[in-house]
Amino acid sequence: MSPIISRLSGPLGFAFYAGASGPPPPSGLGAAYGGGFYIGILGGAYWVVADNDTQVNGSFNNRDTAVNNAQAEAACGDWFIPSYTEMQWTKGQKNYWDSYTQDPYWSATQKPGDNHGVGAVNLAPNSGNNWCWCNNPAKIRAFRKVVY
């Protein structure tokens, strides 16, 4: 296996690896990987959810706290809160998270034309997703994408 030549943090929470082989692939869904837990591939990237210890319960304005917590635990430099569409995908991968609660989780997407509406994805079975008032409490978890 060739060594990683360089790692550059890119836009939108991507980590780019240069080199013949890039990072080693995850050992399986739910495995510890990349500073968190590997939950699947979307858009050509390995998706990693931060450890449950970094999760925050708060308003939409607390989303940076979840990112900062993930960064403090695993200094990868590219943690982010997913968009509403991406967060809906992560709901389908929740069984590969280290743990989760059956509550709404904030996305990074504000409702078009509404300064106070934010997309929240409810992880409870058979639950709908909502546009919620940004001051309501919900869970916040950071993610990262690893591309090579």
Side-chain angles (χ1 to χ4, degrees):
M1 176 187 304
S2 299
I4 294 171
I5 297 169
S6 64
R7 178 185 176 280
L8 306 170
S9 290
L12 305 175
F14 281 88
F16 295 95
Y17 290 85
S21 64
S27 61
L29 290 168
Y33 180 78
F37 297 89
Y38 170 60
I39 63 166
I41 297 174
L42 179 66
Y46 295 140
W47 272 67
V48 177
V49 62
D51 189 280
N52 183 57
D53 293 344
T54 67
Q55 182 170 289
V56 174
N57 186 38
S59 74
F60 177 72
N61 294 327
N62 296 117
R63 65 194 181 280
D64 287 343
T65 303
V67 170
N68 292 337
N69 289 351
Q71 178 63 18
E73 186 165 304
C76 300
D78 54 5
W79 295 100
F80 70 102
I81 305 302
S83 71
Y84 187 58
T85 302
E86 292 169 332
M87 198 65 204
Q88 290 172 337
W89 175 80
T90 70
K91 177 180 181 175
Q93 304 303 108
K94 68 185 179 186
N95 291 331
Y96 305 116
W97 298 23
D98 57 326
S99 67
Y100 65 92
T101 61
Q102 294 186 9
D103 293 306
Y105 280 74
W106 286 124
S107 74
T109 305
Q110 290 190 265
K111 186 175 182 179
D114 182 349
N115 292 337
H116 303 291
V118 179
V121 175
N122 195 326
L123 297 190
N126 303 315
S127 61
N129 302 317
N130 306 303
W131 293 103
C132 298
W133 179 255
C134 65
N135 290 329
N136 288 349
K139 305 297 182 193
I140 312 166
R141 186 78 81 88
F143 294 78
R144 62 186 297 254
K145 303 174 192 174
V146 178
V147 177
Y148 66 95

